[in-house]
Amino acid sequence: MTESVEKWGIFELALSGPADGNPFTEVSFGARFRHKNRVVEPDGFYDGDGVYRVRFMPDTEGEWHYETVSNVDELAGHRGSFTCVPPTTPGNHGPVQVHNIYHFAYADGTPHVSVGTTCYAWVHQGDALEEQTLETLKQAPFNKMRMCVFPKHYPFNANEPPLYPYVRGEDGQWDFQRFNPAFFQHFETRVGQLRDMGIEADIILFHPYDRWGFATMPPEADDLYLRYVVARLAAYRNVWWSMANEFDLMKSKHEADWDRFFRIVQESDPYQHLRSIHNCRRFYDHGKPWVTHTSVQHSDLARVPEWREAYRKPVVVDECRYEGNIEKMWGNITAQEMVHRFWLGTIGGGYVGHGETYLHPEDILWWSKGGVLHGESPARIAFLRRLLEEHAPEGLDPVSREGASKGEDYYLFYFGVAQPGRFLFTLPEAHQYRLDVIDTWNMTITPVEGTYSGTFMLELPSKPFHAVQARRVDS
Amino acid sequence: MTESVEKWGIFELALSGPADGNPFTEVSFGARFRHKNRVVEPDGFYDGDGVYRVRFMPDTEGEWHYETVSNVDELAGHRGSFTCVPPTTPGNHGPVQVHNIYHFAYADGTPHVSVGTTCYAWVHQGDALEEQTLETLKQAPFNKMRMCVFPKHYPFNANEPPLYPYVRGEDGQWDFQRFNPAFFQHFETRVGQLRDMGIEADIILFHPYDRWGFATMPPEADDLYLRYVVARLAAYRNVWWSMANEFDLMKSKHEADWDRFFRIVQESDPYQHLRSIHNCRRFYDHGKPWVTHTSVQHSDLARVPEWREAYRKPVVVDECRYEGNIEKMWGNITAQEMVHRFWLGTIGGGYVGHGETYLHPEDILWWSKGGVLHGESPARIAFLRRLLEEHAPEGLDPVSREGASKGEDYYLFYFGVAQPGRFLFTLPEAHQYRLDVIDTWNMTITPVEGTYSGTFMLELPSKPFHAVQARRVDS
């Protein structure tokens, strides 16, 4: 009987090989996976203690045959096969991909309404806090987590991580040629737990907040690192690659470095997971072909339609400031303002990300360390997510400054800080719609009597942060 | 005994002259006013019924002698004199001028903190409503009124005005060569009433909202009109000239027309009252030398510092949307948002204008017709005005994204939709300051214990729409 692996699950092969010398640089290892005439060749990686692994995420049901490839005899030429069967895990819809230019869908066609949050360094906090973070996420509305590989050095982030990605050489300095497998085993355990909760792991490969030297490694070390991370993690279907957080603050890296990082990830990842790069101020050119979607830091959500037009890719505003009360202006907007920005970005045809930065006696701020949520925005973000998943899971496209639609089936108008007592709506003449008035903060949906079509004036409650949805009711 | 006229008051001379032909175009009339070696030559104007008038606003105390000038014998060569005495009317500080590049002061040096509102067509509503508007203004915080000369045709503005600026010819069409003195007498009465209440009249000379043809007169008529208005009104010390409202919507006028209008007003006005032009979308080049200050329509008050830098003139955001609930998005922001925009513009070193557009059963919206105020922003605007007049009447200049100062004497920080629980302030090391936490919406000022200097972290209430002021207490 052949082994069976669910579609978009992970097939993993472990072999014993040389533990001497530097297996990370001296041994090449991988495998060719073949289904009918198709071949996929993921890189393997050294996992310490003489163990070499290669992971593969099959995307086609049926028989797959493999043969290992290596520059070391004992690791080369191992053959075998398995059967890829339909997904058995509930919620396994495959990796998320770009869909209809501006939106996302899982590989099986299920729409993905991206609702992200950020806990940059949550995997570097030790098991107790990390498990609390996972518990919190079970109740939270988020289906994407922005998280760094490297530990974080920053205000509110003074603690050392339990594990480091590298081992130290005899000189006491980090040896950027020798990874610490325990670090990555831990990291990928967390990525797998997110996957099992239906949460995409938006993995931030580089970031500038560093006191260890990981932000300023030589180019060869950067490249080795990228290939190692991709070899270990690409088989996880919930992976997204973010080249960096605030790339423009990393003064030792230049435009050509970022281009090269994108190309290395693009070449190494057999599954072409989503790729992006996150700015502080200056945008990277998201029009470059290896960028699959924008990952924007910006406070003005009204500009989402402009970025859609500029890049013709999904616009994800991962950071629009955080709900909280810290002294930094990027981390102290009200819950109401956070929810307002979610709605503005949504109506603009984009996707907005959450973060939370409330002062905490032990400096446990969600935005970096995870833990528990203290804010009032997540409940309202959950409300918005439910609304979108029910009525417009394929995404909304802007039709006016206040309105967005899913074709002619569904319209959503949002008035923000405006409080119209009435509004002149324009819907297609050819269809009939039922309307609801939505209080985005109090999370109420109030049906309007009758059906509507074409251009009409509708009375509204003269209150801010309200929306109106129009659901097509003819067939 | 010589007649006496208070400084910045109006000396007016009326003479009888020809009433036949077209006195508006065929008779030139004016006077030379001389004080010592200085000569000022205001134009006169025909006021109907064979009466010609010339008005003069003396700005220097002492003896003034005059002699009339005309192409008609009976109006020429009339001589006389008067004594200009110190101001006798309480609140008479002279006309407002630009002061310290970005700010305003009256001619006697008293600072002017500009806090404007808009009732475009209030003088065209008949006495009952106009008098109600004046009553409202007595209790309101506004010291500038944007108001149109021509009547207004627009949504919510369907009524005919009681008076028109022109008379009709025999063909029933408006005769743009013959003004209606009664119209202008009425208009200047209202301007004078504003003056007596300490309110600047920001007179809008052209606007696009028209069904009578006043927006599309031939160039000769435009020029004749401008000279007539200036001759009648320039002697009122509270006059500001606004070439147009939403000039960019007047398709029949071109850049050269606006330039010419500015030059005509600049040449004709002996007192060089403030001059501006108000946009809808596209800005006029406020850098042109005849523009004394910007008059901006824009929703993003965070851009005030940018416009200050661009033009090096006072920035007045006369229209940042209006408090109200109409169906037009420019007229339905909440009172809280209006107040927020006032604070943002203030902290940016600019001056913000108010307007109000609440739906009304008889279409009496403050923004156009006046009447009474229904909104909640004026009380908060009054609070801000009192604060500025007490602590920084000469105006604030931005020092950071959140802070503005008056030199090193006074600092004002505003956090808007942010709710910091603490903030790192930087004040000069060399001085000591007392701090107050200000709730801009609830209008409370809460002193902070102790004195502060240099850089320090201060605990704050974690609530939005708060500000902090720092008052220097060493001498």
Side-chain angles (χ1 to χ4, degrees):
Chain A
M1 194 186 113
T2 352
E3 188 183 350
S4 77
V5 176
E6 70 173 325
K7 192 174 174 179
W8 304 307
I10 298 177
F11 170 85
E12 181 175 302
L13 177 72
L15 296 175
S16 290
D20 56 343
N22 185 346
F24 295 106
T25 56
E26 294 164 13
V27 177
S28 73
F29 175 62
R32 276 192 206 102
F33 290 83
R34 183 184 303 273
H35 171 71
K36 297 185 177 162
N37 292 324
R38 178 153 163 251
V39 174
V40 182
E41 297 189 49
D43 290 329
F45 60 91
Y46 183 60
D47 201 24
D49 297 325
V51 177
Y52 291 78
R53 296 182 197 276
V54 61
R55 289 173 181 158
F56 175 60
M57 179 188 78
D59 62 0
T60 307
E61 292 165 31
E63 293 302 302
W64 287 85
H65 298 269
Y66 65 82
E67 177 176 5
T68 63
V69 186
S70 179
N71 62 349
V72 172
D73 284 352
E74 61 188 300
L75 293 170
H78 294 258
R79 294 179 188 197
S81 66
F82 65 88
T83 304
C84 175
V85 298
T88 51
T89 307
N92 173 5
H93 299 288
V96 172
Q97 303 165 335
V98 173
H99 189 64
N100 278 343
I101 305 175
Y102 301 112
H103 305 292
F104 299 105
Y106 295 94
D108 74 352
T110 305
H112 174 75
V113 177
S114 180
V115 181
T117 189
T118 295
C119 301
Y120 287 120
W122 78 278
V123 299
H124 306 301
Q125 305 306 320
D127 286 342
L129 188 52
E130 294 174 24
E131 280 157 23
Q132 188 184 48
T133 303
L134 291 167
E135 279 304 307
T136 301
L137 287 170
K138 280 186 193 161
Q139 309 301 322
F142 309 115
N143 60 16
K144 179 168 77 74
M145 171 62 82
R146 297 203 309 134
M147 52 194 281
C148 297
V149 178
F150 290 125
K152 179 166 182 173
H153 168 70
Y154 203 72
F156 308 104
N157 288 263
N159 53 325
E160 287 293 317
L163 295 165
Y164 296 92
Y166 293 96
V167 296
R168 292 182 192 272
E170 290 176 0
D171 58 357
Q173 303 297 305
W174 296 116
D175 182 349
F176 294 136
Q177 309 279 305
R178 288 181 186 270
F179 298 101
N180 175 7
F183 173 93
F184 289 95
Q185 287 156 10
H186 173 75
F187 188 86
E188 64 206 20
T189 298
R190 297 305 183 206
V191 170
Q193 288 170 309
L194 293 180
R195 175 197 59 202
D196 297 341
M197 296 164 66
I199 298 174
E200 305 296 302
D202 199 350
I203 296 175
I204 297 168
L205 295 164
F206 292 99
H207 66 70
Y209 331 110
D210 178 64
R211 66 171 171 266
W212 303 275
F214 307 140
T216 51
M217 302 190 297
E220 318 79 68
D222 286 341
D223 298 359
L224 188 71
Y225 158 76
L226 288 174
R227 292 199 170 90
Y228 190 73
V229 171
V230 172
R232 293 200 71 115
L233 282 154
Y236 289 76
R237 64 176 172 271
N238 62 323
V239 161
W240 300 24
W241 303 118
S242 174
M243 294 308 123
N245 205 60
E246 299 192 325
F247 81 98
D248 48 326
L249 299 190
M250 297 188 75
K251 298 305 177 199
S252 68
K253 308 251 185 285
H254 303 288
E255 195 77 1
D257 294 311
W258 300 115
D259 292 354
R260 188 176 84 253
F261 297 162
F262 266 110
R263 283 199 305 266
I264 288 171
V265 172
Q266 188 182 38
E267 288 163 10
S268 312
D269 174 3
Y271 321 107
Q272 298 298 298
H273 287 290
L274 293 168
R275 287 178 298 268
S276 71
I277 184 165
H278 181 87
N279 66 292
C280 176
R281 293 183 192 88
R282 175 172 64 87
F283 282 21
Y284 179 86
D285 177 4
H286 300 298
K288 290 187 177 179
W290 40 69
V291 180
T292 56
H293 63 284
T294 73
S295 171
V296 167
Q297 174 173 181
H298 209 283
S299 290
D300 186 359
L301 280 298
R303 294 185 61 182
V304 167
E306 172 189 327
W307 301 321
R308 280 173 45 119
E309 281 187 42
Y311 303 115
R312 288 187 59 81
K313 295 177 184 181
V315 171
V316 183
V317 184
D318 283 307
E319 189 175 349
C320 64
R321 300 195 182 182
Y322 302 126
E323 179 188 347
N325 69 343
I326 61 171
E327 65 271 28
K328 303 290 184 182
M329 296 308 288
W330 50 257
N332 57 24
I333 61 172
T334 60
Q336 189 154 70
E337 181 69 18
M338 172 62 82
V339 174
H340 173 51
R341 292 179 184 198
F342 261 79
W343 276 84
L344 275 182
T346 298
I347 228 70
Y351 298 91
V352 185
H354 161 272
E356 187 185 288
T357 44
Y358 279 104
L359 291 167
H360 185 278
E362 289 148 39
D363 280 354
I364 302 174
L365 282 63
W366 174 261
W367 130 90
S368 195
K369 295 184 181 171
V372 297
L373 287 161
H374 304 273
E376 296 184 89
S377 69
R380 280 82 188 178
I381 293 167
F383 172 76
L384 172 59
R385 179 177 167 184
R386 284 196 300 275
L387 197 80
L388 295 173
E389 289 186 335
E390 181 177 352
H391 296 294
E394 300 90 346
L396 292 170
D397 300 301
V399 293
S400 68
R401 204 167 51 171
E402 297 79 30
S405 87
K406 181 182 75 175
E408 299 198 331
D409 291 339
Y410 179 79
Y411 288 78
L412 188 59
F413 302 86
Y414 174 63
F415 301 104
V417 298
Q419 52 176 4
R422 64 191 192 193
F423 192 76
L424 193 69
F425 292 88
T426 297
L427 298 173
E429 299 276 359
H431 304 297
Q432 291 293 320
Y433 297 86
R434 282 200 193 279
L435 308 184
D436 303 290
V437 175
I438 299 167
D439 181 333
T440 68
W441 181 255
N442 293 307
M443 300 178 281
T444 59
I445 300 177
T446 308
V448 178
E449 193 97 1
T451 63
Y452 291 82
S453 185
T455 296
F456 55 91
M457 188 79 85
L458 183 73
E459 299 226 342
L460 294 175
S462 291
K463 288 185 180 149
F465 306 118
H466 274 59
V468 169
Q469 66 180 358
R471 299 170 282 111
R472 183 175 157 192
V473 288
D474 54 4
S475 50
Chain B
M1 194 187 115
T2 350
E3 188 183 350
S4 75
V5 176
E6 71 173 323
K7 191 173 176 180
W8 304 307
I10 298 177
F11 170 85
E12 181 175 301
L13 177 71
L15 296 176
S16 289
D20 55 344
N22 185 346
F24 296 105
T25 55
E26 293 164 14
V27 178
S28 72
F29 174 64
R32 275 191 208 103
F33 289 85
R34 181 183 305 272
H35 171 71
K36 297 183 178 164
N37 293 325
R38 179 153 163 251
V39 174
V40 182
E41 296 189 50
D43 291 329
F45 60 93
Y46 182 60
D47 201 24
D49 297 325
V51 178
Y52 292 76
R53 296 182 196 276
V54 61
R55 290 174 179 156
F56 175 60
M57 179 187 80
D59 62 1
T60 307
E61 291 165 33
E63 291 303 302
W64 286 85
H65 298 269
Y66 64 83
E67 177 176 4
T68 62
V69 185
S70 178
N71 62 350
V72 173
D73 285 350
E74 60 188 300
L75 294 171
H78 295 258
R79 295 182 187 194
S81 67
F82 64 90
T83 304
C84 176
V85 299
T88 50
T89 308
N92 174 7
H93 300 287
V96 173
Q97 303 166 334
V98 172
H99 188 64
N100 278 343
I101 304 176
Y102 301 112
H103 304 292
F104 299 105
Y106 295 94
D108 73 352
T110 304
H112 174 75
V113 177
S114 179
V115 181
T117 188
T118 295
C119 302
Y120 287 120
W122 80 277
V123 298
H124 306 300
Q125 304 306 320
D127 286 341
L129 187 53
E130 294 172 25
E131 281 157 21
Q132 189 183 48
T133 303
L134 291 166
E135 279 305 305
T136 301
L137 287 169
K138 278 185 194 161
Q139 309 301 323
F142 309 114
N143 60 16
K144 179 168 77 75
M145 171 62 83
R146 298 202 309 133
M147 53 194 281
C148 297
V149 179
F150 291 124
K152 179 165 183 175
H153 169 71
Y154 203 70
F156 308 103
N157 288 263
N159 53 324
E160 288 294 316
L163 295 165
Y164 296 91
Y166 294 96
V167 295
R168 293 182 193 272
E170 291 176 359
D171 58 358
Q173 302 296 305
W174 297 116
D175 182 348
F176 294 137
Q177 308 280 304
R178 289 181 185 270
F179 299 101
N180 176 8
F183 173 94
F184 289 95
Q185 288 156 10
H186 174 74
F187 188 87
E188 65 206 22
T189 298
R190 296 305 183 205
V191 169
Q193 288 169 309
L194 293 180
R195 174 197 60 203
D196 297 341
M197 296 164 66
I199 298 174
E200 304 296 302
D202 199 350
I203 296 175
I204 297 169
L205 295 164
F206 293 98
H207 66 71
Y209 331 110
D210 177 64
R211 65 171 172 267
W212 303 275
F214 307 140
T216 51
M217 300 189 298
E220 317 79 69
D222 287 342
D223 298 358
L224 188 71
Y225 157 77
L226 288 174
R227 292 200 170 89
Y228 189 74
V229 171
V230 173
R232 293 199 71 115
L233 282 153
Y236 289 77
R237 64 176 171 272
N238 62 323
V239 162
W240 300 24
W241 304 118
S242 175
M243 294 308 123
N245 205 58
E246 300 193 324
F247 81 98
D248 48 327
L249 299 190
M250 296 188 77
K251 299 305 175 196
S252 69
K253 307 248 185 288
H254 304 288
E255 195 78 1
D257 295 311
W258 299 115
D259 292 353
R260 188 177 83 254
F261 297 163
F262 266 111
R263 283 197 306 264
I264 288 170
V265 172
Q266 189 181 38
E267 287 162 12
S268 312
D269 174 5
Y271 320 107
Q272 298 297 299
H273 288 289
L274 293 168
R275 288 176 298 267
S276 71
I277 185 167
H278 182 87
N279 65 294
C280 176
R281 295 184 190 87
R282 175 172 65 86
F283 282 22
Y284 180 85
D285 178 5
H286 300 298
K288 290 187 178 179
W290 40 70
V291 180
T292 57
H293 64 284
T294 73
S295 171
V296 167
Q297 173 173 180
H298 209 284
S299 291
D300 186 359
L301 280 297
R303 294 185 60 182
V304 167
E306 173 190 327
W307 301 322
R308 279 173 47 118
E309 282 187 42
Y311 303 115
R312 287 187 60 81
K313 294 178 182 180
V315 171
V316 183
V317 184
D318 283 307
E319 188 175 350
C320 65
R321 299 195 183 182
Y322 301 127
E323 180 187 348
N325 68 344
I326 62 170
E327 65 271 27
K328 304 289 184 183
M329 296 308 288
W330 50 257
N332 58 25
I333 62 172
T334 60
Q336 189 154 70
E337 181 68 19
M338 172 61 83
V339 174
H340 173 52
R341 291 178 185 199
F342 261 79
W343 277 84
L344 275 182
T346 298
I347 227 71
Y351 298 91
V352 185
H354 161 272
E356 187 185 288
T357 45
Y358 280 104
L359 291 167
H360 185 278
E362 288 148 40
D363 280 354
I364 301 173
L365 282 64
W366 175 263
W367 129 90
S368 195
K369 295 184 182 171
V372 297
L373 287 160
H374 305 272
E376 296 183 272
S377 69
R380 280 82 188 178
I381 293 167
F383 172 76
L384 172 60
R385 179 178 167 183
R386 283 195 301 273
L387 197 81
L388 295 173
E389 289 185 338
E390 181 178 353
H391 296 294
E394 300 89 348
L396 291 171
D397 300 301
V399 294
S400 67
R401 205 167 50 170
E402 296 81 30
S405 87
K406 182 182 76 175
E408 297 197 332
D409 291 339
Y410 180 78
Y411 288 79
L412 188 59
F413 301 86
Y414 174 62
F415 301 104
V417 297
Q419 52 175 4
R422 63 191 193 194
F423 191 77
L424 193 69
F425 292 88
T426 298
L427 298 172
E429 299 275 359
H431 303 297
Q432 290 293 319
Y433 296 86
R434 283 201 192 279
L435 308 186
D436 303 290
V437 175
I438 300 167
D439 182 332
T440 67
W441 181 255
N442 293 307
M443 299 178 281
T444 59
I445 300 176
T446 308
V448 178
E449 193 96 1
T451 62
Y452 291 81
S453 186
T455 296
F456 56 91
M457 187 79 85
L458 182 73
E459 299 226 342
L460 295 175
S462 291
K463 287 186 181 149
F465 307 118
H466 274 58
V468 170
Q469 67 179 358
R471 298 171 281 112
R472 182 174 158 193
V473 289
D474 55 6
S475 50

